Amino acid sequence: MYIEHPLIKPKTLEARLYQQIIAANALKKKTLCVLPTGLGKTAIAILVIVGILTKKDGKVLILAPSRPLVEQHCRRLKEILNIEEDKIIALTGKIPPKKRVELYKKGKIFVATPQIIENDIIAKRINIEEFVLLIADEAHHTVGDHSYAFVSKAFKDKCHILGLTASPGADIDRLMEICENLGIEHVEVRTEDDEDVKPYIAKVRLIPIRLDLPDEFKKALKLINEALKDRLKFLKDFGVIDSINITKTELIELNSKLFAYDEEVKYELIRVCSEALKLMHAKDLLESQGKSVFLNYINKLSSQRTKSAKSIVNDERIRKAVNILLKTDIEHPKLNKVVEMVKSILKKNEDERIIIFTQYRDTVEKLVNILHQNGIKAIKFIGQASKEGKGMTQKQQIEAIEKFKKVGNVLVSTSVSEEGIDIPAVNYVIFYEPVPSEIRFIQRRGRAMRGEGGKAYILIAKGTSDEAYYRSALYKEKEMKRLLKNICYLLNKRLQKKLEMENKRIEEFKKETIIEKNITTIETKKVVEMDSKKESKEKEKKTLTILDFIKQFEEKSKSKVEETDKDKIEKPIKIIVDVREKNIAKLLHKYADVELKTLEVGDYVLSDRVVVERKTSEDFVNSIIDKRLFSQLKNLKKVEKPLLIIEGENFSRIHENALKGAILSVIFDFGIPILFTKNVDETVDLLIKIAEKEQLKEKRPITIRYGKTTMSLKEQQRFIVESLPDVGGALADRLLKHFKTVERVFTAKEDELMEVEGVGEERAKKIRKVLTAKYE
């Protein structure tokens, strides 16, 4: 059976009861839908889209985390929806901003990466008020500073919301943050154990395969462990850790805490902690990936100049470990096992397709090469980020998937193919290593759910971190399922608590209002008894109850808001922000027109003369240590009025005298003023105030101007008049408009100058004194 609906093409969408139930509930409330991979989250999204568009006229936005997934969703919507294809639009970074503005006017349904929408919200290219539905695919990204969170917060009070994910995680706080950012009111959860989805579930059998490491690896690992234990023992002896049995996560947390320690010991502790982290990483690489990846990492360390990297490379034990591995031709047993497994699968069915997941690009290359050597059609699939020129473009990614669909047997991929991308039905998935994240564990395994159900093989090196990661993922997945079963209860309880608190506040306000009203009534009676009836009536009119006062206050506030809004429309401010300062731009866009650009100098352009460089306290200290600061300041001097903002109070990495010396050098040697702010909010407030002063009060334009540029005649005239005492940009403009020429401004008498708004007697005297006093 198929879904029949005017907005759905005939026989294109299979009718599944659980999808219809979820969609019906999702149309009533803002909903987060948690559904295992392969059970049709896209179908639910389509049912909600047609349900909303049947009732309301408006636009729909679908967020997807990657470009290939955006294109995939767009194709699927065009295949199923009975809506003009040119009104279903995919928005990617390849479409210029100006063209996107036009597309927003023409389109009905938009599929985009959240970064694109975030940029368009900041630059005010998109009108959120026109949208009736936001769908957040892979909604587990809606946390922290992710673009998903920013876009969701902007939309959640304006339109209906649907969040979709297969794996939101096992952390209750993270789950609640997702719900909060999306404005979720209801959660729909289905697992493989639910009766209504069981008929559609493609079961995947987990098969761990444990492998012994070769003796050469064990000898090398023993030496690495000795080097690591020495570092951990050093940290333990200083009392910063309780045991040498510490995890990498705990060590990362310790590294940030060490900056607060005493000056004498903290740098040594930080260095040793950094060495321990690097050794842990090197150990993990050898255990789970093999000698090639390990040796590549050691080679990278040898090219670094840091003390921690040099200490590791020069450690006699690490050198011995490297020599042991260089002398052997043995690679990680996982490589041969992969070839053996792939051959065995293809022997049964030569048309079978397999996905191999691995963490590292070096391993992808190694696997693809060894499979090719064995006559197996293997295709590489990695992310777009360029690391030493190894990234794949979006076009290359799409070509790789198409090639895999038509002629490939094996797709060897990093995490980029874990989410959503439409890879053909696969019955076999191989984890080259376990992943501790339950989200990624589920997504990888889910790739084998798209066929009739299959097998997921997990390669585990015995007695290594692979074992711990595998156990961790299984435990977290179990916890996530338990949590999801209870999430509706937890969420409703939380919403109920919020409602109770709100009701309590209303009741308290009512009580205060009654008391105030009674007091006012008593006072009014006293006035009546003291004065005549006529006078008392007049005074009664003037005497306000607390309710009257609130009403008047609200009317005045509303009036002020309207005036302020009107004023902003008539006199908007604009700020040009460097693309690397996007997080601040998110906050600024509420108060100003924001334009994102790659700036040659500074981070914020507030007028034709004011450019601001912003540094966090940590970055300021780091730039002093690595000597970046003074070259940046030299660059900042290209503008007429440069300004440095230092945000935060954490200067612990540097000695107080060195810090003071650097600050004094900025002020006196470079002539650049410094302003200190406690946090991001203070920085934003300061930037807005400076921009308002420059653009609204001084009437200065917002342009990018570096170095000595040729001024227009009008700019030259203003520049000359601004040189007079107490004359800013706005007053210079009024003087020139009044007197018409610079010459007449300079020859005007005191009383003539005072005819201009803003020029009083004292200012007029100062101007005349400068113009008439003898130069001595």
Side-chain angles (χ1 to χ4, degrees), residues 497-509:
K497 191 174 180 181
K498 280 177 74 176
L499 184 63
E500 286 171 3
M501 288 175 69
E502 192 63 33
N503 289 336
K504 190 177 178 182
R505 279 198 294 268
I506 291 167
E507 288 300 319
E508 286 175 356
F509 179 77

Side-chain angles (χ1 to χ4, degrees), residues 514-532:
I514 291 165
I515 293 166
E516 291 289 339
K517 190 174 181 181
N518 289 338
I519 292 169
T520 306
T521 306
I522 292 165
E523 291 297 322
T524 306
K525 284 181 179 178
K526 286 181 181 179
V527 171
V528 171
E529 290 171 3
M530 289 171 63
D531 300 321
S532 65

